[in-house]
């Protein structure tokens, strides 16, 4: 065999070997996608979950024995925390070969309630010794379960609400007879959801979810509508909501028309709101600023209505003061964020009920608090909305009563 023939055979063999090596590499890459990936090693920080962290050390050994500090930490009392646990929250997983000691329902509830005070997921991760990705799963599950359990208790069907009693409370506390509720809406600041475009981008140039709520004379939420896009206008949100449809078609459950105190004027029971809502037989709004400047009787009506309507502003303020998560953009999935708002409204009503039962000192301590931020919960955009001819007549009757038989001495003070 000549040298040239031998060299040719060697070159061919090298080519075959290269082809085989390339094929093996391709197969190795292919099978690497099919084989299960190796798990990343668990951080030593999280391996000490059973012996360290807020729940094992701070909460179990100290806060459960001190009601005052427990309230300062969670913003709810130990008794209220136990009430939530007694609702049979289906949160605990059974032990398995992989997880011998799963996280308890009490700890998952503690993580969720403490997050609502304004803590970030990263901060919770270091404090509770739980990975932040798993905390997000805990929050999603816990908030969904709490929403299902709490809404039937603290946000009952309007048909089961004693609106005559609500009307008596407004008349006694806020001097507005035949008023059952006050309505208002707020934009809840959220982080921009993925692939949402401009749906959640509102007129104040940030992303938000709308909370539309009706509040009674004691700052408790009675009816709420959550989840409208931030870009939607006030009239569209109200008209498409269940509460708006029920009010406009008369199926909301208003009590029968009755006379105003001290007069023979008969008016229907109403809900008071600001300029963002339409004037209707059962929905009162103030006169325009120009009309109020030209007529002192209309100014008095506007003052009396605004005095009753401010319970909504107070309710939103108390909600934000307790659950500090509303003071910053909420970085959660939109569905989880909606569940958070639902649960916060229910817990707010629970706190209000506890305060009304004690009735000796406020359950919110403002002494050490800083000034309240004003750049997160913003009002709905103002406007004239739609009007109803019956609404004009009802408003005129209220105005006549407020300036005659139903007047109070302090309403004329300048």
């Amino acid at each position: 065999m000549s040298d040239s023939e031998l060299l040719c055979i060697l070159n061919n063999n090298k080519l075959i070997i290269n082809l085989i090596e390339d094929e093996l590499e391709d197969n190795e890459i292919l099978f690497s996608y099919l084989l299960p990936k190796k798990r990343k090693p668990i951080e030593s920080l999280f391996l000490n979950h059973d012996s360290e962290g807020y729940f094992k050390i701070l909460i179990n050994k100290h806060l459960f024995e001190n009601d005052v500090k427990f309230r300062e930490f969670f913003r709810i009392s130990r008794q209220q925390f136990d009430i939530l646990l007694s609702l049979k929250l289906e949160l605990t997983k059974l032990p398995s070969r992989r997880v011998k000691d799963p996280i308890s329902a009490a700890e998952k509830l503690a993580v969720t309630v403490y997050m609502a005070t304004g803590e970030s997921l990263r901060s919770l991760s270091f404090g509770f010794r739980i990975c932040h990705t798993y905390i997000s799963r805990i929050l999603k599950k816990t908030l969904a379960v709490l929403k299902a359990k709490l809404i039937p208790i603290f946000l009952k069907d309007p048909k089961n609400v004693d609106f005559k009693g609500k009307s008596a409370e407004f008349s006694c506390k806020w001097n507005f007879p035949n008023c059952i509720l006050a309505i208002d809406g707020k934009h809840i600041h959220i982080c921009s959801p993925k692939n949402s475009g401009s749906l959640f981008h509102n007129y104040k140039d940030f992303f938000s979810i709308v909370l539309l709520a009706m509040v009674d004379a004691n700052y408790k939420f009675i009816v709420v509508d959550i989840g409208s896009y931030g870009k939607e206008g006030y009239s569209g949100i109200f008209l498409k909501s269940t509460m708006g449809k029920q009010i406009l078609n008369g199926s909301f459950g208003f009590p029968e028309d009755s006379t105003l105190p001290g007069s023979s004027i008969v008016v229907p029971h109403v809900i008071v709101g600001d300029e963002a809502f339409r004037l209707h037989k059962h929905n009162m709004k103030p006169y325009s600023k120009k009309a109020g400047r030209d007529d002192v009787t209309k100014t008095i009506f506007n003052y009396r209505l605004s005095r009753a309507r401010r319970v909504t502003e107070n309710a939103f303020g108390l909600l934000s003061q307790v659950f500090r998560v509303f003071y910053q953009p909420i970085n959660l999935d939109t569905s989880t964020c909606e569940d958070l708002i639902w649960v916060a409204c229910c817990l707010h009503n629970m706190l209000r009920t506890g305060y009304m039962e004690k009735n000796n000192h406020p359950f919110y301590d403002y002494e050490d608090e800083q000034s309240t931020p004003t750049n997160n919960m913003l009002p709905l955009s103002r406007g004239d909305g739609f009007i109803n001819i019956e609404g004009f007549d009802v408003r005129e009757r209220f105005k006549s009563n407020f300036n005659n038989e139903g007047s109070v001495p302090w309403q004329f003070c300048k």
Side-chain angles (χ1 to χ4, degrees):
M1 183 181 292
S2 64
D3 293 340
S4 61
E5 291 177 347
L6 181 61
L7 182 61
C8 183
I9 293 173
L10 291 175
N11 291 334
N12 290 336
N13 289 339
K14 288 182 180 180
L15 179 61
I16 293 172
I17 293 173
N18 291 334
L19 291 174
I20 294 174
E21 290 178 350
D22 292 341
E23 185 175 357
L24 290 175
E25 290 180 359
D26 293 340
N27 290 335
E28 185 179 354
I29 294 173
L30 175 62
F31 283 109
S32 67
Y33 286 106
L34 299 177
L35 294 175
K37 294 182 179 180
K38 293 183 179 180
R39 288 182 170 271
K40 294 181 179 180
I42 301 176
E43 295 284 347
S44 59
L45 176 71
F46 305 131
L47 290 174
N48 299 325
H49 168 260
D50 295 336
S51 59
E52 299 178 356
Y54 282 166
F55 192 78
K56 300 297 181 181
I57 303 298
L58 177 63
I59 298 174
N60 272 339
K61 293 187 178 180
H62 300 283
L63 297 185
F64 276 154
E65 300 175 358
N66 190 326
D67 293 337
V68 175
K69 295 301 179 183
F70 188 95
R71 193 184 195 92
E72 291 178 359
F73 188 79
F74 285 110
R75 296 304 182 98
I76 62 175
S77 67
R78 170 69 189 279
Q79 182 182 7
Q80 292 165 339
F81 187 88
D82 292 339
I83 290 175
L84 295 179
L85 280 179
S86 68
L87 298 177
K88 298 180 179 179
L89 304 178
E90 300 173 356
L91 298 173
T92 305
K93 293 183 178 180
L94 296 176
S96 62
R97 292 179 59 185
R98 183 175 168 187
V99 182
K100 297 181 180 180
D101 187 16
I103 299 175
S104 64
E107 185 169 1
K108 290 181 179 180
L109 180 61
V111 171
T112 304
V113 175
Y114 188 55
M115 183 278 302
T117 62
E119 287 293 323
S120 66
L121 299 189
R122 291 285 183 178
S123 177
L124 292 173
S125 175
F126 289 114
F128 284 89
R129 300 296 195 271
I130 304 173
C131 179
H132 71 280
T133 56
Y134 191 67
I135 285 181
S136 64
R137 295 165 60 185
I138 291 176
L139 294 177
K140 183 176 182 178
K141 177 65 176 178
T142 307
L143 289 172
V145 173
L146 285 174
K147 175 185 173 182
K149 296 287 186 179
L150 295 179
I151 286 180
I153 301 174
F154 296 106
L155 289 173
K156 299 179 180 179
D157 192 316
K159 297 179 181 178
N160 300 326
V161 178
D162 180 18
F163 284 127
K164 287 188 177 180
K166 300 296 181 185
S167 175
E169 291 175 350
F170 263 101
S171 180
C172 177
K173 293 186 175 183
W174 306 109
N175 302 105
F176 202 108
N178 284 31
C179 173
I180 59 173
L181 298 171
I183 185 173
D184 201 359
K186 293 294 181 181
H187 288 278
I188 307 297
H189 197 172
I190 64 173
C191 292
S192 174
K194 294 182 179 179
N195 302 321
S196 63
S198 61
L199 287 176
F200 295 93
H201 196 261
N202 61 33
Y203 73 105
K204 286 290 187 179
D205 200 27
F206 66 85
F207 295 88
S208 65
I209 290 177
V210 176
L211 164 61
L212 191 64
M214 292 185 184
V215 182
D216 69 3
N218 297 308
Y219 312 141
K220 293 177 67 176
F221 295 106
I222 304 302
V223 186
V224 297
D225 180 85
I226 300 168
S228 295
Y229 298 125
K231 77 165 191 175
E232 295 185 76
Y234 59 92
S235 58
I237 295 173
F238 177 72
L239 292 176
K240 80 169 187 178
S241 65
T242 302
M243 66 175 76
K245 295 176 181 178
Q246 292 178 346
I247 291 172
L248 299 181
N249 62 24
S251 62
F252 189 73
F254 289 95
E256 296 181 356
D257 299 358
S258 62
T259 58
L260 293 175
S263 70
S264 58
I265 301 176
V266 179
V267 296
H269 288 77
V270 298
I271 296 171
V272 295
D274 57 16
E275 302 92 340
F277 301 94
R278 65 179 295 179
L279 181 64
H280 185 264
K281 174 183 177 181
H282 291 295
N283 192 26
M284 290 290 99
K285 60 182 287 186
Y287 290 96
S288 64
K289 293 182 179 180
K290 182 178 183 304
R293 287 194 298 266
D294 297 337
D295 189 344
V296 66
T297 60
K298 295 180 179 179
T299 302
I300 292 174
F301 172 84
N302 286 355
Y303 171 67
R304 295 282 291 272
L305 183 141
S306 297
R307 188 171 183 269
R309 190 195 61 79
R310 71 180 181 183
V311 296
T312 58
E313 302 292 345
N314 295 342
F316 290 133
L318 292 173
L319 180 69
S320 299
Q321 189 72 1
V322 174
F323 303 107
R324 293 301 186 91
V325 68
F326 296 117
Y327 278 170
Q328 58 196 6
I330 303 175
N331 190 16
L332 295 173
D333 182 72
T334 52
S335 60
T336 307
C337 184
E338 291 177 18
D339 290 345
L340 170 64
I341 301 172
W342 279 104
V343 172
C345 291
C346 292
L347 294 180
H348 169 86
N349 283 358
M350 182 180 70
L351 292 172
R352 288 303 305 170
T353 301
Y355 167 68
M356 293 169 61
E357 289 176 353
K358 291 184 178 180
N359 199 26
N360 52 5
H361 62 82
F363 57 88
Y364 300 116
D365 186 6
Y366 296 105
E367 293 181 0
D368 298 329
E369 304 293 353
Q370 299 177 354
S371 59
T372 302
T374 58
N375 60 349
N376 192 49
M377 276 197 177
L378 295 183
L380 300 180
S381 57
R382 297 291 181 255
D384 293 330
F386 299 96
I387 56 177
N388 179 279
I389 191 64
E390 290 181 302
F392 284 105
D393 180 54
V394 174
R395 187 167 65 176
E396 288 295 323
R397 279 183 268 172
F398 272 108
K399 185 194 73 172
S400 176
N401 176 263
F402 290 163
N403 285 275
N404 295 287
E405 300 90 351
S407 64
V408 290
W410 36 262
Q411 73 182 23
F412 298 101
C413 297
K414 296 184 178 179

